[in-house]
Amino acid sequence: GENVEQHPSTLSVQEGDSAVIKCTYSDSASNYFPWYKQELGKRPQLIIDIRSNVGEKKDQRIAVTLNKTAKHFSLHITETQPEDSAVYFCAASRGGSNYKLTFGKGTLLTVNP
Amino acid sequence: EADIYQTPRYLVIGTGKKITLECSQTMGHDKMYWYQQDPGMELHLIHYSYGVNSTEKGDLSSESTVSRIRTEHFPLTLESARPSHTSQYLCASRGDGSSYNEQFFGPGTRLTVL
């Protein structure tokens, strides 16, 4: 089955700096890669996703890049703000709605004012 | 408003009790999932269902059981709670019809077994 590795497990940055979280996956047939943000005491929520036919996707201050050859994808947050502090999860799955998402172990991002 | 609902949100119970965690969704989704989230953050899939009368065990072995008699309802039951079951339990659902449908999570039930 799919295995998703996520690094780092914790990340501390100063407000205004950039943050990068990296994930690798093992199943070359995976083609859907969502990122979830979970604030303290809240439910995980989708913030951005990318499909295998796209190399990069941006949404305001967040972007995701995908390298299918190397089987890794990354989340980039620019101009970080204290409200970006949360746990971030990457995930991967094959196509077809019957395939389950496999999640990474999560990254605790702390943005210091 | 379409959403996923979990009750109770918090539960403190003694060892040996039988408990049922409720999960309902008004999103019209066929796929539903239960995750156990430990204090170390990691999400562990313990059960999933692709529709009515369909239930499968997830990646993490769990002593809990689930049922799916109605599309919108996916309860999780522990016959005899133990302190090792103390955790956050998250229910999720995902729509059909596309490989890329978003998976939505409920607010969670925080279970403490004394």
Side-chain angles (χ1 to χ4, degrees):
Chain A
E2 176 68 278
N3 182 51
V4 176
E5 303 269 347
Q6 183 172 346
H7 298 280
S9 56
T10 61
L11 179 59
S12 181
V13 299
Q14 289 299 122
E15 183 176 358
D17 287 350
S18 295
V20 180
I21 302 170
K22 298 182 179 182
C23 291
T24 60
Y25 62 98
S26 61
D27 186 352
S28 57
S30 287
N31 62 4
Y32 175 58
F33 307 93
W35 286 87
Y36 284 79
K37 175 184 180 182
Q38 185 178 25
E39 297 177 19
L40 186 63
K42 302 281 184 65
R43 67 183 85 182
Q45 291 191 299
L46 180 74
I47 55 171
I48 194 167
D49 57 17
I50 192 167
R51 306 175 187 184
S52 61
N53 59 347
V54 175
E56 182 176 1
K57 185 178 179 180
K58 291 185 71 172
D59 183 2
Q60 299 183 342
R61 295 187 298 107
I62 61 173
V64 57
T65 58
L66 171 65
N67 183 327
K68 283 215 73 179
T69 303
K71 290 191 282 189
H72 67 69
F73 56 112
S74 301
L75 178 71
H76 304 254
I77 307 174
T78 59
E79 301 171 24
T80 54
Q81 300 166 5
E83 51 265 40
D84 294 328
S85 296
V87 176
Y88 291 82
F89 293 96
C90 64
S93 80
R94 291 188 175 192
S97 55
N98 279 0
Y99 285 101
K100 307 182 301 293
L101 290 175
T102 298
F103 285 90
K105 292 185 177 182
T107 296
L108 175 60
L109 172 64
T110 303
V111 180
N112 302 300
Chain B
E1 181 183 343
D3 204 350
I4 303 176
Y5 302 91
Q6 290 188 242
T7 57
R9 294 292 313 280
Y10 302 92
L11 180 62
V12 180
I13 201 162
T15 296
K17 299 293 186 182
K18 178 180 178 179
I19 59 168
T20 296
L21 308 185
E22 301 288 349
C23 175
S24 293
Q25 48 98 1
T26 56
M27 311 189 81
H29 289 167
D30 289 322
K31 313 293 189 291
M32 296 189 74
Y33 311 85
W34 275 104
Y35 292 86
Q36 185 174 337
Q37 185 171 35
D38 54 27
M41 307 181 300
E42 191 173 355
L43 293 163
H44 299 283
L45 179 66
I46 52 175
H47 297 284
Y48 60 99
S49 168
Y50 288 151
V52 171
N53 294 325
S54 152
T55 60
E56 303 285 345
K57 291 190 179 296
D59 305 320
L60 179 70
S61 176
S62 173
E63 293 163 351
S64 58
T65 59
V66 292
S67 62
R68 190 87 183 276
I69 299 171
R70 302 198 321 261
T71 300
E72 63 273 18
H73 195 214
F74 191 38
L76 181 146
T77 298
L78 275 167
E79 290 292 332
S80 181
R82 295 208 304 267
S84 61
H85 297 138
T86 294
S87 190
Q88 162 102 316
Y89 292 84
L90 288 164
C91 181
S93 72
R94 193 176 183 193
D96 220 339
S98 168
S99 304
Y100 312 112
N101 280 345
E102 179 179 348
Q103 179 167 306
F104 294 86
F105 284 87
T109 293
R110 184 161 297 280
L111 172 66
T112 302
V113 184
L114 303 176

